[in-house]
Amino acid sequence: RRPSRCYRYQKNKPYPKSRFNRGVPDPKIRIYDNGRKKANFDEFPYCIHLVSGEKEQITSEALEAARIAANKYMQVQCGRDQFHLRIRVHPWHVVRINKMLSCAGADRLQTGMRHAYGKALCKSARVNIGTILMSIRTKPDHLGKAQEALRRAKFKFPGRQTVFVSRKFGFTKLVHADYYKLQKEGRIIGDGVTVKVMTNHGPLDRLAIFKN
């Protein structure tokens, strides 16, 4: 296959797999969550993101390589149940190749740029500036290790990326201060790896006063 530098830029229109676009090879990346993915929302309060600095395409092969690199480092340094790593982008855009023959006598068989619409080659994710590529949620002791894991994953991607320590509580949408405030008020409802915030509307039996 061609090197990924040939398909780095977003030149063409989005081209997903569909009933019109059949015969697409499966993406290399199959696992999007690693570590202790079923850990409750309050077990891993800190979150680190790997953020894209360019508008580009990232192949499924690169995503898989980055996942393996980050997961291996975290498992060795922290233990497999001390983190939850998640790949945040999905490769759905199909990349095409107009195959040329390179053997002797190819010029007789080849059509050149006639019928140049290519065949499906692989899948890639289309990312923008500021798109989060990977996230790790973990405990405060392993914050530095998680940053190093994502720094190592950066080498598998083209372009520039930045490692950010998030202000949010784990994979939730709440900043730490807001989370603790709402928790004190008893308005946090667990929802797996994230949380729901109880509003002032809805059934009364949700409130602490009516539970006694």
Side-chain angles (χ1 to χ4, degrees):
R1 56 189 297 280
R2 274 187 198 160
S4 295
R5 64 170 175 267
C6 307
Y7 300 106
R8 182 175 156 186
Y9 299 108
Q10 292 186 22
K11 288 180 179 176
N12 301 328
K13 291 178 180 142
Y15 187 54
K17 182 178 175 179
S18 65
R19 63 196 168 121
F20 313 110
N21 173 21
R22 298 177 306 277
V24 176
D26 288 333
K28 260 297 183 300
I29 185 164
R30 281 287 180 207
I31 299 164
Y32 289 85
D33 285 270
N34 287 94
R36 194 143 69 88
K37 52 195 175 203
K38 291 192 176 173
N40 213 12
F41 65 91
D42 54 356
E43 291 186 52
F44 297 137
Y46 281 85
C47 181
I48 299 93
H49 299 308
L50 183 62
V51 180
S52 170
E54 296 194 24
K55 184 179 178 180
E56 59 182 355
Q57 293 179 167
I58 294 175
T59 58
S60 62
E61 284 83 357
L63 288 169
E64 174 69 357
R67 179 190 73 82
I68 290 168
N71 184 42
K72 185 73 190 277
Y73 185 82
M74 286 300 285
Q75 278 191 357
V76 170
Q77 298 293 326
C78 311
R80 61 175 48 192
D81 55 349
Q82 296 296 313
F83 71 98
H84 174 195
L85 180 146
R86 178 173 279 176
I87 303 290
R88 300 281 296 273
V89 289
H90 285 248
W92 52 265
H93 173 74
V94 179
V95 162
R96 297 189 298 267
I97 182 169
N98 180 22
K99 267 260 174 74
M100 295 282 192
L101 298 169
S102 56
C103 54
D107 49 340
R108 289 159 184 269
L109 309 167
Q110 256 176 356
T111 53
M113 287 306 285
R114 223 177 289 169
H115 307 300
Y117 196 86
K119 292 265 196 325
L121 173 70
C122 66
K123 282 185 155 188
S124 66
R126 288 162 77 91
V127 302
N128 282 313
I129 296 170
T131 302
I132 298 173
L133 305 176
M134 299 167 74
S135 299
I136 298 177
R137 64 186 180 119
T138 185
K139 293 175 180 172
D141 338 339
H142 305 310
L143 206 58
K145 298 281 196 312
Q147 284 171 280
E148 174 60 16
L150 291 184
R151 190 192 71 83
R152 289 177 176 222
K154 273 181 9 178
F155 296 125
K156 309 296 178 189
F157 293 133
R160 288 167 300 182
Q161 290 81 30
T162 318
V163 176
F164 272 109
V165 177
S166 175
R167 290 173 59 225
K168 308 278 172 71
F169 187 94
F171 284 172
T172 67
K173 291 182 179 178
L174 302 170
V175 177
H176 277 261
D178 293 348
Y179 171 84
Y180 290 122
K181 181 170 164 253
L182 290 165
Q183 191 185 39
K184 204 173 177 184
E185 292 168 11
R187 290 176 57 194
I188 296 282
I189 306 171
D191 189 27
V193 300
T194 182
V195 294
K196 288 176 180 172
V197 177
M198 206 188 287
T199 59
N200 298 326
H201 306 281
L204 291 171
D205 56 8
R206 290 194 311 182
L207 297 173
I209 310 164
F210 291 93
K211 282 181 181 169
N212 301 331

